[in-house]
Amino acid sequence: MTRIGFHASHEQVSPRQLLADVQHAERAGFAMAMCSDHFSPWSTRQGHSGYTWSWLGAALATTELSLGCVTAPGQRYHPAVHAQRIATLGQMFPGRFWVALGSGEASNEHITGDRWPRKEVRTQRLEECVDVIRRMLAGEEVSHDGLVTVDRARLWDLPDPVPLLVGPAVSVDSAARVAAWADGLVTVNQPVETLRDVLAAYRGAGGRGRTALQVHLSWAPTEGEALAVAHDQWAGNVFGPPISWDLETAEAFDVLWGQVEPDAVRSAVRVSADLAQHRDWLAEYADLGFDDLYLHHVGQEQDAFIEAFGEHVLPALSTGS
């Protein structure tokens, strides 16, 4: 049975409110949660970007949910320090924390002042970081000289079990590549045919563990409201790579935002006022073979979404009806 989780969007909601939201999601029946790890929002309209790692400790301490985040070691985060963060949460909350390790976006990483590398360099840097982090989580003292430099780094508090290191991937090529090191896969909603190919590429390359889909959606009591929320909050996210990788500021994304017609947002967000339609979409994703679905209502107000989906969507999916 596919599990249904809640996605906590740090770009859109203050850390204090987001903590209340994830607690609300647990009460409403969501089985788990995940979150983003940004330094900057995608738009000035979103207007938030709390520190994920402080929030994760509070969320794990005040719920019984398993939680994870998508994060990027290598530029903003040194991999040895990242390993210490991961190990500490894993040691404090055994078996309840996972992390997806990606190559990042310039909007979050440019703050160091270092040059933003080409995609193939970022991928190589990520793979070096994954190796460093995994070895440190296994208790090794690690030194490394490459695109990242590590000098005799050792963790003194080790987690048991070791948190899963999940591979985030959107394309078929990326899914096949992360299969070499990942303990699972996480991707985002795209056309069903593309998602089927992504899953096949990951499994075909020997990918192990659970597969997860982050579903961007917008629900409101009327179709007009649902579309307005999606357009206001997620219009800039209709632009995929390389734009999403390489733009550096929320203001730059806002320039693109103004060029997106409301209906164009439907290419990136499942928009409907009909809860039965949302159930059907989610059931289709489950039928593709995803083990976990994380629901991201792209609005800033989460309460009505959590209540409606907790009452009318989650029970139907859990019973297969």
Side-chain angles (χ1 to χ4, degrees):
M1 184 65 66
T2 301
R3 302 185 304 179
I4 309 297
F6 172 76
H7 176 74
S9 178
H10 284 282
E11 310 94 283
Q12 297 178 271
V13 184
S14 74
R16 180 190 301 171
Q17 181 58 52
L18 204 57
L19 183 60
D21 290 339
V22 77
Q23 294 164 351
H24 185 184
E26 180 181 38
R27 294 192 302 272
F30 286 82
M32 63 224 173
M34 67 174 286
C35 70
S36 51
D37 181 10
H38 278 235
F39 194 86
S40 171
W42 294 107
S43 165
T44 58
R45 287 180 176 85
Q46 295 176 340
H48 296 280
S49 206
Y51 184 55
T52 291
W53 296 86
S54 300
W55 183 89
L56 278 166
L60 285 160
T62 58
T63 72
E64 296 298 322
L65 300 173
S66 63
L67 282 111
C69 74
V70 182
T71 186
Q75 187 158 329
R76 181 171 42 128
Y77 295 139
H78 189 278
V81 178
H82 222 34
Q84 187 183 37
R85 290 187 189 92
I86 295 165
T88 298
L89 288 178
Q91 201 267 350
M92 292 174 70
F93 306 101
R96 291 179 51 208
F97 176 66
W98 57 268
V99 61
L101 301 174
S103 58
E105 296 117 359
S107 61
N108 302 306
E109 311 304 324
H110 77 90
I111 61 167
T112 65
D114 294 332
R115 180 177 179 272
W116 180 237
R118 300 185 308 277
K119 174 58 178 174
E120 65 270 23
V121 177
R122 300 198 303 272
T123 299
Q124 182 182 342
R125 181 174 67 180
L126 168 64
E127 290 170 352
E128 291 183 18
C129 289
V130 170
D131 181 65
V132 167
I133 291 168
R134 193 176 291 284
R135 290 168 59 197
M136 289 183 65
L137 291 173
E140 293 184 38
E141 180 181 279
V142 177
S143 294
H144 179 83
D145 295 293
L147 292 172
V148 293
T149 301
V150 182
D151 180 39
R152 294 167 293 177
R154 172 187 170 189
L155 294 172
W156 292 87
D157 288 290
L158 294 173
D160 183 19
V162 174
L164 298 177
L165 304 184
V166 174
V170 175
S171 70
V172 166
D173 289 344
S174 294
R177 183 156 184 156
V178 301
W181 59 261
D183 298 320
L185 174 77
V186 62
T187 188
V188 297
N189 56 298
Q190 303 178 76
V192 168
E193 297 76 14
T194 303
L195 290 174
R196 185 178 290 113
D197 291 344
V198 167
L199 282 174
Y202 181 71
R203 294 302 190 195
R208 61 187 183 272
R210 299 181 72 86
T211 58
L213 178 68
Q214 180 188 357
V215 182
H216 303 303
L217 64 92
S218 183
W219 172 85
T222 70
E223 191 75 13
E225 290 175 275
L227 184 58
V229 166
H231 185 253
D232 179 70
Q233 285 293 297
W234 215 249
N237 296 77
V238 304
F239 299 100
I243 290 173
S244 58
W245 292 338
D246 294 339
L247 284 189
E248 294 186 346
T249 66
E251 290 79 7
F253 279 100
D254 281 345
V255 173
L256 295 178
W257 223 274
Q259 301 174 25
V260 179
E261 294 297 323
D263 272 330
V265 180
R266 296 181 188 273
S267 67
V269 181
R270 289 297 205 179
V271 179
S272 181
D274 183 353
L275 290 168
Q277 176 64 80
H278 283 288
R279 287 196 299 268
D280 290 345
W281 281 329
L282 296 174
E284 185 176 28
Y285 295 140
D287 288 344
L288 283 177
F290 284 103
D291 300 299
D292 300 323
L293 303 178
Y294 289 91
L295 310 189
H296 173 209
H297 170 54
V298 299
Q300 293 183 297
E301 299 295 329
Q302 297 289 312
D303 283 345
F305 153 72
I306 291 170
E307 287 293 324
F309 275 63
E311 182 176 356
H312 300 290
V313 176
L314 303 189
L317 292 172
S318 66
T319 60
S321 60

